[in-house]
Amino acid sequence: MMPEDHMEELYTSPNPLVRFVHVQRLKKIVEIIPASGKRFILDAGCGEGHLLRFIHDSAPIHALFGVDATGIAIAKASVRCPFAQLVQGDLSRLPFGEETFDIITCTEVLEHIPEYDATIKELVRVLKPGGLLMITFPNEGLWILSRFLLGRKPIKVPDHVNSFTPGMMRKIVPLSCISRQNLPFG
């Protein structure tokens, strides 16, 4: 479980580099989403609704949905995103029909889920044919090195139970990779 306001602390961090990295990731994701034509968009692991807010502010035409496992996050997302339909739930058992969404984002989530393969299958199930699935994950080696150099403890982020590489992700996601970005700098 993530601590309350974990993401809020990152997006409003007094450290300008931390703030830059996290906000730039959201901006890059929003740049990929078409601004015209109504799309049904799911933010899987929406947390406190930061990405949903960015998407809405960029293109309010879209129908936005969010799912998160924690009630605290959903409550805060409800305040930040009254325009979105939000659900507290398990990402491996989404309450949506097959082929519901044009676009699904799952950003900085899978490293927290022990049974991530079931979540990926579920995301693919609710994605429309030809839809766009955007998954982001941290470069765990860089995180560990950064935390070591900055004297942050513990060195390894304790709630990251998985570590991924782009090659691993291409193998475990049964969709074609159309683009790879190195966020926030890609």
Side-chain angles (χ1 to χ4, degrees):
M1 284 299 213
M2 299 242 270
E4 184 175 351
D5 291 330
H6 171 70
M7 296 309 295
E8 189 71 38
E9 289 173 9
L10 295 175
Y11 294 118
T12 61
S13 174
N15 181 323
L17 181 59
V18 169
R19 204 173 47 247
F20 172 81
V21 167
H22 290 284
V23 171
Q24 281 302 114
R25 177 174 39 83
L26 300 185
K27 287 180 178 178
K28 288 285 193 179
I29 291 168
V30 169
E31 284 176 14
I32 295 169
I33 297 172
S36 61
K38 183 177 183 176
R39 306 284 195 308
F40 285 79
I41 301 174
L42 170 65
D43 187 10
C46 67
E48 298 151 5
H50 294 90
L51 179 56
L52 290 169
R53 179 89 246 172
F54 266 73
I55 295 169
H56 177 76
D57 289 350
S58 172
I61 190 171
H62 299 309
L64 301 176
F65 299 78
V67 176
D68 200 273
T70 64
I72 292 170
I74 289 295
K76 292 184 181 224
S78 295
V79 172
R80 179 173 277 119
C81 307
F83 46 79
Q85 294 183 40
L86 303 168
V87 177
Q88 180 181 351
D90 183 341
L91 294 181
S92 67
R93 291 187 300 276
L94 294 170
F96 306 109
E98 291 185 18
E99 303 176 0
T100 300
F101 297 100
D102 301 294
I103 299 171
I104 299 174
T105 60
C106 186
T107 178
E108 310 301 298
V109 173
L110 295 177
E111 65 273 12
H112 301 278
I113 302 174
E115 303 298 328
Y116 64 85
D117 52 336
T119 296
I120 291 171
K121 287 178 187 172
E122 191 66 352
L123 296 177
V124 170
R125 180 187 73 78
V126 300
L127 184 67
K128 290 180 181 177
L132 178 63
L133 173 60
M134 289 188 268
I135 298 174
T136 72
F137 51 91
N139 178 329
E140 203 67 42
L142 185 58
W143 270 97
I144 291 170
L145 177 61
S146 298
R147 290 177 69 84
F148 173 75
L149 292 174
L150 293 170
R152 307 258 333 252
K153 296 198 177 177
I155 298 289
K156 183 175 181 338
V157 180
D159 58 338
H160 289 191
V161 296
N162 301 306
S163 180
F164 301 102
T165 66
M168 288 173 59
M169 197 56 68
R170 278 192 295 277
K171 289 179 183 173
I172 61 178
V173 177
L175 301 170
S176 297
C177 178
I178 59 170
S179 176
R180 176 182 161 209
Q181 301 281 320
N182 292 317
L183 301 176
F185 307 107

